Amino acid sequence: SEFEFEGQLIKLILTFGVFITMNPGYAGRTELPDNLKALFRPMSMMVPDYSLIAEISLFAEGFEEAKVLSKKMAKLYKLASEQVSAQPHYDFGMRAIKSVLVMAGTGKRMNPDMSETIVMIRAMCDSNIPKFLDEDVVLFNAIVLDLFPGVEVPKQDTGALVVAIRECLANADLRLSDAWCLKAVQLYEVLGIRFGVMQVGPSGGGKSCMARCIAEAMGKLREQGSTDVEHQVTHTYCLNPKSISMGELYGNYNLMTNEWTDGLGSTIIRTANGDTTDDKKFVTFDGPIDAIWIENMNTVLDDNRTLCLPNGESIKLN
């Protein structure tokens, strides 16, 4: 009923279990030692039934047409994964489907009188179209049209934002292209439904400028008396995570003195999180993606919204 662990007597709970999920060959992960691996029973995983999981999730989110919509959604993702081009940032797995289902539930609660089909299409399009290449957008829209024939999805009004973005670019002496402006609007829409966003593109493509410009445009619209709650004064914090070590980014322990030193990233996030005003904050990790530093952001970017630091501190982002 009890066992000794590092000089302490610990009560043994018979219902306690340990489950380890392994990702063989994934950068940033280490293999379990053989002597530890021998203590655990291996178990293989199978591909889940996306349609059934989507149906149950949609019923839980309050959808009445969950059975039909879940089948169409699973079919859409299957067709899209087969027909669009192969890109490293495309994801049609369970995690992507789960985020769309959560997004659809949010849309359903915000627009209870809107058709469930339109809510579902909007969630799928808002989640996928911003990350597609131009040629894949055409394919994806064609698949949506085949699965939902004759359904017209009303566009969201972003006219005031586009005008503000154009003004910001003109003030910065930057040239505006329609494609860049479309991506800026898509980024704005995704930020309205997602907590974290990853921008992918070549150096000099205007990624950092886009985030700054949207922040400036939203602040400008707030000053002009916009009634939209999304238009708030926005503060941006920008850092390059690859220019400093992991300890300098998230904080580290001094093994000699046992003192904790806060990192740059954790300090910025704590400062931004401590502000209780309605102002928005953009924390931009502006640099190449690396499996080592992005690993710590896993719990920040999923449903937990929590930054876990090496000293055991958890910063819950609001």
Side-chain angles (χ1 to χ4, degrees):
S1 62
E2 290 181 334
F3 67 98
E4 191 175 321
F5 181 72
E6 293 189 348
Q8 278 188 311
L9 266 182
I10 297 175
K11 187 181 175 185
L12 182 66
I13 302 169
L14 295 175
T15 52
F16 174 76
V18 178
F19 298 85
I20 303 173
T21 54
M22 301 296 291
N23 244 348
Y26 183 83
R29 302 268 168 92
T30 51
E31 279 286 321
L32 272 184
D34 288 338
N35 59 342
L36 187 59
K37 200 182 282 185
L39 301 174
F40 291 87
R41 182 189 301 171
M43 187 184 298
S44 60
M45 305 296 287
M46 58 178 278
V47 178
D49 183 348
Y50 289 171
S51 179
L52 184 62
I53 292 170
E55 183 185 329
I56 294 164
S57 297
L58 287 174
F59 271 128
E61 295 285 4
F63 280 77
E64 293 174 12
E65 302 168 25
K67 194 176 280 289
V68 178
L69 291 174
S70 62
K71 284 178 182 172
K72 287 192 175 185
M73 182 191 179
K75 193 71 178 169
L76 176 90
Y77 269 74
K78 185 174 184 295
L79 289 169
S81 63
E82 292 167 356
Q83 293 184 25
V84 301
S85 63
Q87 301 294 332
H89 66 280
Y90 286 4
D91 179 22
F92 300 104
M94 192 66 244
R95 187 171 289 179
I97 287 178
K98 179 76 173 72
S99 69
V100 173
L101 294 170
V102 171
M103 200 186 297
T106 307
K108 171 76 173 166
R109 286 186 290 277
M110 286 170 67
N111 305 287
D113 301 325
M114 189 182 281
S115 161
E116 290 184 351
T117 304
I118 290 175
V119 170
M120 195 70 210
I121 294 172
R122 184 176 274 179
M124 290 189 294
C125 289
D126 287 353
S127 177
N128 289 294
I129 286 178
K131 66 185 175 190
F132 283 145
L133 302 181
D134 288 346
E135 57 268 26
D136 292 333
V137 171
V138 178
L139 276 170
F140 186 80
N141 284 334
I143 296 169
V144 171
L145 209 61
D146 288 345
L147 288 170
F148 301 93
V151 180
E152 278 287 322
V153 181
K155 292 280 182 187
Q156 291 177 316
D157 181 29
T158 52
L161 180 76
V162 172
V163 171
I165 287 173
R166 287 177 184 274
E167 283 179 19
C168 294
L169 283 177
N171 293 341
D173 285 336
L174 294 169
R175 195 181 69 187
L176 175 71
S177 69
D178 291 337
W180 189 91
C181 195
L182 175 65
K183 278 291 163 201
V185 171
Q186 286 178 350
L187 177 61
Y188 166 77
E189 288 175 347
V190 170
L191 284 168
I193 46 182
R194 287 285 181 88
F195 189 69
V197 175
M198 188 184 294
Q199 285 180 280
V200 183
S203 298
K207 301 185 297 295
S208 309
C209 177
M210 193 176 288
R212 282 200 307 271
C213 202
I214 290 172
E216 195 180 324
M218 287 199 292
K220 197 184 284 280
L221 289 169
R222 172 53 53 184
E223 287 168 15
Q224 291 169 1
S226 172
T227 54
D228 192 333
V229 290
E230 290 296 321
H231 299 157
Q232 300 288 351
V233 173
T234 308
H235 308 279
T236 55
Y237 306 88
C238 189
L239 71 151
N240 183 350
K242 292 289 283 179
S243 65
I244 51 179
S245 68
M246 280 287 288
E248 291 169 323
L249 184 60
Y250 294 115
N252 65 334
Y253 263 121
N254 184 330
L255 295 174
M256 300 291 287
T257 60
N258 213 23
E259 282 182 335
W260 168 255
T261 308
D262 228 357
L264 183 60
S266 53
T267 304
I268 288 172
I269 290 173
R270 190 185 287 107
T271 305
N273 199 47
D275 186 6
T276 54
T277 63
D278 288 336
D279 293 3
K280 287 177 177 281
K281 295 97 188 168
F282 288 174
V283 180
T284 310
F285 286 77
D286 194 355
I289 294 291
D290 183 297
I292 310 298
W293 72 261
I294 201 72
E295 190 75 25
N296 288 56
M297 299 297 286
N298 269 346
T299 50
V300 177
L301 299 173
D302 66 14
D303 294 338
N304 295 308
R305 293 186 177 187
T306 305
L307 178 65
C308 301
L309 300 177
N311 67 340
E313 183 190 354
S314 297
I315 303 173
K316 179 77 175 171
L317 281 78
N318 47 37

